[in-house]
Amino acid sequence: MVCCLRRSLYGLKQAPRAWFERFASVVTAASFSPSAYDPALFVHTSPRGRTLLLLYVDDMIITRDDSEYIAFVKARLRDQFLMTDLGPLRYFLGIDVSSTSDGFYISQEKYIQDLLARAALGDERTVETPMELNVKLQSTDGDPLPDPMRYRHLVGSLVYLAVTRPDISYLVHILSQFVSAPSTVHYSHLLRVFRYLRGTITHRLFFPRSSSLQLQCYSDATWASDPSDRRSFSAYCVFLGGSLIDWKTKKQTAVSHSSVEAELRDMALLTAEVT
């Protein structure tokens, strides 16, 4: 016997796809178009301005030039879905957002507080840097942890924190390489990151309201810095005017034969991202 469902049910693997298709049909009927760069971003353009709608599962952000059209969109969504309007954006997916006359600040202060509680450091010490200078971790360092699940959980949480904290991006990338078999040495360096976060919990990213639209890109690379495979690391950051909009740390896919080659690979990675 085969049952044909009249609507999607939670728990079925088809449910997310069915929900997104339903939502997309509603906003498309309201003259929105999906972005070519992100299918969860919908754009409406009219002579009165532009309206953007960003969807994450069943949470959404709407921003606009035309406030009247926002009210129209909300009314259309309420007709089709059970929806709660939470007002101006202050908190979204663990990210705090605050608005001033100069611009916007985003941070994850509450998220860091929850992480510190889960890490249970046992002291109140802070450090000025997330990692000691010239430290090169290897898989053979220290003794294996009896229960690696805690290490994996904390490192995974830091991966999401790096969304607003580019200062820990490199170290999170390093620590993520040892999640399969972490050791006591790796765990001690992980705890150092949390002590650094405790002392810098109020650090935020700032996006000024008045800023040029000129792209400024910076890149750097290490040469043969991984002692296990002698591969280099690439890192870059991209500014739109005075706003940091993109950054990344990544191990290069091939072994570079010189520091010049490592830098050229890094520049190629950044150029592809900017393009």
Side-chain angles (χ1 to χ4, degrees):
M1 301 294 293
V2 177
C3 296
C4 181
L5 300 179
R6 300 188 58 171
R7 64 177 183 176
S8 179
L9 299 178
Y10 280 113
L12 297 181
K13 63 180 181 180
Q14 301 95 333
R17 179 183 180 88
W19 154 247
F20 182 77
E21 289 179 348
R22 175 80 174 91
F23 182 86
S25 65
V26 172
V27 295
T28 302
S31 301
F32 278 87
S33 301
S35 170
Y37 306 101
D38 187 344
L41 176 64
F42 297 88
V43 183
H44 174 269
T45 304
S46 69
R48 301 183 62 175
R50 177 178 297 176
T51 304
L52 305 177
L53 189 154
L54 179 65
L55 178 71
Y56 183 86
V57 188
D58 57 354
D59 296 316
M60 71 188 75
I61 300 175
I62 307 177
T63 186
R64 82 291 181 255
D65 298 319
D66 184 1
S67 58
E68 293 183 3
Y69 191 75
I70 286 289
F72 167 75
V73 173
K74 290 180 180 180
R76 291 292 298 269
L77 292 174
R78 288 194 189 97
D79 291 340
Q80 301 294 328
F81 308 109
L82 181 63
M83 189 182 77
T84 303
D85 186 355
L86 300 180
L89 180 63
R90 296 185 179 88
Y91 189 77
F92 187 74
L93 303 178
I95 299 176
D96 297 289
V97 182
S98 59
S99 174
T100 67
S101 58
D102 297 325
F104 296 88
Y105 292 89
I106 67 171
S107 66
Q108 289 173 280
E109 184 173 342
K110 183 179 182 300
Y111 185 77
I112 295 176
Q113 292 174 347
D114 295 339
L115 283 182
L116 291 174
R118 277 182 272 167
L121 296 178
D123 58 56
E124 297 298 325
R125 288 190 297 140
T126 61
V127 293
E128 295 183 355
T129 59
M131 188 177 188
E132 296 177 5
L133 190 63
N134 297 325
V135 172
K136 296 183 179 180
L137 299 179
Q138 302 185 53
S139 58
T140 56
D141 293 337
D143 300 322
L145 290 176
D147 182 14
M149 291 303 297
R150 180 177 178 81
Y151 180 91
R152 295 167 184 167
H153 171 72
L154 293 177
V155 170
S157 300
L158 290 179
V159 170
Y160 185 65
L161 179 60
V163 169
T164 61
R165 293 296 299 261
D167 49 341
I168 66 170
S169 176
Y170 170 72
L171 189 51
V172 170
H173 183 79
I174 295 295
L175 295 175
S176 299
Q177 299 180 82
F178 308 107
V179 292
S180 60
S183 70
T184 53
V185 173
H186 306 145
Y187 189 70
S188 65
H189 283 278
L190 175 62
L191 294 184
R192 179 185 175 91
V193 179
F194 283 98
R195 292 189 174 94
Y196 168 76
L197 292 174
R198 176 189 284 161
T200 59
I201 192 172
T202 58
H203 284 196
R204 303 180 292 177
L205 287 179
F206 176 60
F207 298 89
R209 292 182 183 272
S210 57
S211 180
S212 68
L213 296 181
Q214 180 181 5
L215 279 176
Q216 300 179 16
C217 310
Y218 304 89
S219 67
D220 196 10
T222 63
W223 178 48
S225 56
D226 193 315
S228 60
D229 55 19
R230 310 309 299 172
R231 285 192 283 171
S232 308
F233 281 90
S234 296
Y236 65 76
C237 59
V238 180
F239 288 84
L240 181 62
S243 302
L244 178 62
I245 61 171
D246 191 18
W247 60 88
K248 190 172 189 178
T249 300
K250 182 180 181 181
K251 184 190 288 190
Q252 296 183 0
T253 57
V255 176
S256 299
H257 296 86
S258 66
S259 59
V260 174
E261 183 178 345
E263 296 284 359
L264 286 174
R265 290 180 185 275
D266 187 28
M267 292 179 64
L269 177 67
L270 174 58
T271 303
E273 176 68 13
V274 171
T275 302

